Amino acid sequence: MQRTSEYLVHSVSREDRADGSILLKSKHTLGPVVDKTGVWLHAWASDAPDRTFIAERSGAGWRKESYAATLEKVRAIASSLLARGMGSETPILIMSGNGVDHGLLSLAAQYIGVPTAPVAEQYALIHGAHGRLRHAIELVRPKMAYVVDADQYREALELDALQGVEIVASRKGGNSQVTAFDELLKGDASVNLKAAYEQVGPDSVAKILMTSGSTSAPKGVITTQRMMCVNQTMLADALPFLRTRPPRVVDWLPWNHVFGGSHNFNMMLANGGSFYIDDGKPVAGLFERTLENLSMVTGTLSFNVPVGYGMLLGALQRDGDLRRRFFEELDLIFYAGASLPQDIWSGFEQMALDVKGEIPLMTSSWGLTETAPATMMQSEPIDRSGVVGVPMNGVTLKLIPDEDMRCEMRIKGPNVMPGYFNEPGKTASVFDEEGFFITGDAMRFIDPQDVNKGMKFDGRISEDFKLLTGTWVRAAQLRMDLLTCLSPLASDLVITGADRIEIGVMVFPDVAELKREGFDLSDDSGAYRCKLLQGEIHRRLAERARELSGSSTRVGRAIVLSEPASMPEGEMTAKGNLNFRKILTRRQNLLERLYDDADPAIVKI
């Protein structure tokens, strides 16, 4: 089975320490690292001035900016920011999603050391989510805020928290108080742009990235030039083909998240690649736009979440021409966010073989907003999903194993954040006495006798709990198992049972999928259909329980939730992840009902 891509062979050292902890490091040497993102921009504007750097849909085609044009516009915007007195203490809040102007503004700010703080566009567009937006504004205290369309974002722009903040919009509409983005493009020759650029270095703050807020209020992760630049060296060391030919992506992953906005965006910039912004998404009603974009341009790299690959696989199976074009130059299929189902993995492998007789590197990695993000990667080809690999060059992992060899993960390296923005107490709490960042994530070795086989993610330490019997429940892994068991009936679920006698599960039904399966809960016979749904959940969980011997994974009861998770109430993050603690607190009455055997809504196994 051939693979088209070059890769870095795993070579990891292991140190077993007297205190029981384990240190892992790559034996490979970290490659050269530039001081700031502006170095990449200048280099490619010189070496490949006419190559497309960034593009977005415009009418029937694309608005494209070459490397030379990007540098020219970045320098103009940067001089306009300087003329406004902006610097390291005057962040820019970016409230819109991915776009060319968003990218130009971000690079211009980085060029002169002005931090940007991109936030999820849902926070501004959804009235009920304005609390999250206010939190970000009050934390960051920006001097400028950017939106793509002033009319579309009008309600958010009228928030009291933005009073006194200059608003910039690509389309200002009828709002005379808004600065047109084109005004920034005019530049200002009175400032010393060269001096401002030269004072930017590895420790300069490039971004303040908000965490998802899945366990607490979102924190602002200080992201330095060093973090971003060293992370791209780590990635290119692990994926040598990035340096062989300029990469190209058609990518939708949001730039307010570290993966889309730092990992993918900077991967194109660092390696002279081309970033085509996909304005579709892997959801009903928007995925068709992704397919339209891919019919026009395909990438040499593919990044997506598992649900996106599931939708894409079906589309490629139906469209032979798109299938051929998708695979013809493809070097990499990269999944993140969750483990890729093995049937989807195998489907892409077989399709690649059928199209060109070779398989691109199929892989994943692991990291966090606080680690820039990439920290571990599976750079060697494998034939299965779920493996996140070994430490990347320059990183040291500290593993703290329990009696079952489940390892708490801690990290030290140049890609790790210096701290949380304006929160010294929280910063101090996440570094141990040796300076390792305490991630809260757990890992397991694929083969404890061979560290080069890599590791797999094994949930969040904080999500684990004990039953009254003293039995530990590994909630993250159990949740994934149950989602498989209840597919496609459940869109998501919450594991319960802390300080109780048995495990329970609160099920968020997948209403659209249920309707296709014959469980339409919205029609006149909804109550009857709900009973049928409860019966099917009972059947599946009971069948699963018969195959289990221990209480740590056996579910004893379930309840189906009629109200979906609420983003305005903080039950769901902008990524679509559940905030389990918030759900259990807000729905305390339902949690109590779940453990009431007399309640008719309870599915008792």
Side-chain angles (χ1 to χ4, degrees):
M1 192 178 289
Q2 293 180 311
R3 286 173 167 80
T4 59
S5 307
E6 306 167 67
Y7 59 88
L8 183 71
V9 176
H10 294 174
S11 181
V12 178
S13 68
R14 170 174 176 163
E15 177 188 347
D16 290 86
R17 306 167 88 192
D19 62 1
S21 63
I22 301 168
L23 296 186
L24 298 183
K25 298 180 183 179
S26 171
K27 294 180 182 178
H28 297 290
T29 301
L30 180 68
V33 180
V34 302
D35 285 343
K36 50 193 173 185
T37 58
V39 174
W40 295 326
L41 184 54
H42 274 280
W44 293 111
S46 173
D47 294 348
D50 298 326
R51 183 183 301 155
T52 296
F53 164 54
I54 192 169
E56 66 184 0
R57 285 298 301 273
S58 178
W62 297 86
R63 171 195 170 186
K64 300 179 181 180
E65 298 289 351
S66 68
Y67 274 96
T70 296
L71 177 59
E72 181 181 1
K73 291 182 177 182
V74 161
R75 286 173 56 83
I77 296 167
S79 66
S80 293
L81 298 180
L82 284 175
R84 286 164 164 77
M86 299 188 71
S88 61
E89 303 300 319
T90 58
I92 300 172
L93 183 75
I94 299 179
M95 296 189 284
S96 291
N98 305 1
V100 168
D101 289 349
H102 178 159
L104 293 174
L105 179 59
S106 296
L107 288 175
Q110 291 171 29
Y111 195 85
I112 55 171
V114 176
T116 57
V119 296
E121 59 183 341
Q122 297 96 315
Y123 291 172
L125 294 175
I126 299 174
H127 174 81
H130 285 174
R132 289 294 180 98
L133 179 59
R134 286 190 187 92
H135 171 79
I137 295 169
E138 290 166 1
L139 176 66
V140 173
R141 299 189 181 279
K143 183 173 181 179
M144 177 183 287
Y146 167 79
V147 294
V148 66
D149 189 307
D151 289 338
Q152 182 185 12
Y153 287 78
R154 179 176 299 276
E155 185 180 358
L157 297 182
E158 292 174 350
L159 291 175
D160 289 342
L162 286 174
Q163 293 301 308
V165 175
E166 182 181 10
I167 306 299
V168 175
S170 296
R171 297 185 293 276
K172 61 180 290 185
N175 193 329
S176 60
Q177 303 302 310
V178 171
T179 300
F181 188 81
D182 285 348
E183 288 297 312
L184 300 185
L185 289 171
K186 293 178 181 179
D188 192 312
S190 68
V191 300
N192 191 339
L193 183 61
K194 182 175 183 292
Y197 173 71
E198 289 179 347
Q199 60 83 34
V200 176
D203 292 319
S204 298
V205 178
K207 299 181 185 181
I208 303 165
L209 289 174
M210 305 304 294
T211 60
S212 64
S214 57
T215 58
S216 62
K219 299 180 287 291
V221 175
I222 298 172
T223 304
T224 65
Q225 293 276 357
R226 175 185 289 104
M227 290 167 64
M228 297 197 306
C229 293
V230 77
N231 211 224
Q232 289 305 319
T233 295
M234 293 174 178
L235 287 163
D237 285 350
L239 307 172
F241 52 84
L242 292 175
R243 294 171 173 146
T244 302
R245 65 168 174 166
R248 183 175 64 250
V249 294
V250 183
D251 192 55
W252 66 270
L253 292 163
W255 291 350
N256 62 288
H257 297 156
V258 68
F259 194 81
S262 293
H263 186 288
N264 293 0
F265 185 93
N266 286 337
M267 185 178 285
M268 298 307 104
L269 181 60
N271 298 287
S274 299
F275 196 117
Y276 286 80
I277 299 169
D278 175 15
D279 55 351
K281 289 182 180 178
V283 296
L286 291 176
F287 185 63
E288 293 74 15
R289 182 67 165 185
T290 290
L291 295 179
E292 180 183 327
N293 293 334
L294 287 174
S295 72
M296 303 167 73
V297 182
T298 54
T300 63
L301 316 175
S302 176
F303 297 100
N304 219 322
V305 294
V307 66
Y309 278 123
M311 298 173 75
L312 181 58
L313 181 65
L316 295 177
Q317 289 169 338
R318 295 186 295 270
D319 188 332
D321 181 61
L322 180 60
R323 183 167 64 245
R324 176 188 57 78
R325 295 184 64 250
F326 179 79
F327 283 103
E328 63 185 356
E329 293 187 273
L330 196 63
D331 289 321
L332 177 74
I333 294 177
F334 190 110
Y335 67 90
S339 185
L340 187 68
Q342 191 60 36
D343 61 328
I344 297 177
W345 174 289
S346 300
F348 274 97
E349 279 197 328
Q350 187 58 54
M351 199 174 285
L353 285 172
D354 292 343
V355 169
K356 64 177 196 176
E358 297 175 321
I359 299 174
L361 181 64
M362 298 181 63
T363 192
S364 186
S365 70
W366 174 88
L368 302 167
T369 307
E370 292 90 341
T371 65
T375 299
M376 302 178 70
M377 176 169 280
Q378 177 63 33
S379 61
E380 292 184 355
I382 51 174
D383 58 3
R384 57 173 165 154
S385 174
V387 182
V388 297
V390 300
M392 302 180 77
N393 295 354
V395 170
T396 300
L397 305 184
K398 180 162 73 170
L399 309 175
I400 303 175
D402 61 17
E403 65 280 358
D404 194 34
M405 284 305 293
R406 183 178 189 246
C407 301
E408 178 194 338
M409 173 73 71
R410 302 184 180 188
I411 308 166
K412 185 183 288 186
N415 60 316
V416 177
M417 69 166 188
Y420 295 116
F421 188 70
N422 286 342
E423 297 192 272
K426 290 182 179 178
T427 297
S429 71
V430 296
F431 288 92
D432 69 13
E433 65 283 353
E434 294 184 288
F436 282 86
F437 174 64
I438 304 169
T439 71
D441 282 357
M443 295 281 173
R444 285 189 185 276
F445 287 107
I446 300 300
D447 180 353
Q449 306 307 313
D450 185 356
V451 295
N452 289 305
K453 295 288 182 62
M455 305 189 81
K456 62 179 180 180
F457 179 69
D458 198 35
R460 293 282 296 169
I461 299 292
S462 61
E463 293 173 13
D464 297 346
F465 59 83
K466 278 187 179 182
L467 299 172
L468 280 176
T469 59
T471 301
W472 274 107
V473 175
R474 309 303 189 193
Q477 184 57 54
L478 178 58
R479 173 175 162 272
M480 297 305 298
D481 293 344
L482 290 175
L483 282 172
T484 300
C485 174
L486 296 178
S487 176
L489 309 179
S491 64
D492 215 327
L493 47 84
V494 178
I495 306 296
T496 70
D499 298 324
R500 298 182 184 269
I501 196 66
E502 65 182 353
I503 299 171
V505 58
M506 303 171 81
V507 179
F508 287 99
D510 188 328
V511 177
E513 192 61 43
L514 284 171
K515 188 173 183 178
R516 285 190 284 270
E517 294 288 320
F519 297 99
D520 188 352
L521 306 183
S522 63
D523 66 10
D524 293 338
S525 58
Y528 171 69
R529 302 284 186 186
C530 191
K531 285 292 185 184
L532 290 180
L533 174 59
Q534 289 174 333
E536 177 63 13
I537 289 174
H538 180 278
R539 184 190 69 78
R540 296 192 188 190
L541 292 179
E543 182 177 301
R544 177 181 178 275
R546 286 193 291 271
E547 300 172 357
L548 301 173
S549 57
S551 61
S552 65
T553 56
R554 185 190 185 280
V555 175
R557 55 189 64 231
I559 187 171
V560 179
L561 305 178
S562 60
E563 179 193 355
S566 169
M567 182 181 293
E569 294 292 340
E571 293 185 327
M572 178 186 290
T573 72
K575 291 182 180 180
N577 299 329
L578 297 184
N579 182 331
F580 303 115
R581 293 181 184 176
K582 186 67 175 180
I583 290 170
L584 292 174
T585 300
R586 182 170 178 262
R587 307 189 190 215
Q588 179 67 31
N589 64 320
L590 292 176
L591 179 61
E592 296 304 324
R593 288 181 61 186
L594 178 58
Y595 286 89
D596 181 357
D597 290 342
D599 194 310
I602 302 308
V603 178
K604 188 78 168 65
I605 291 75

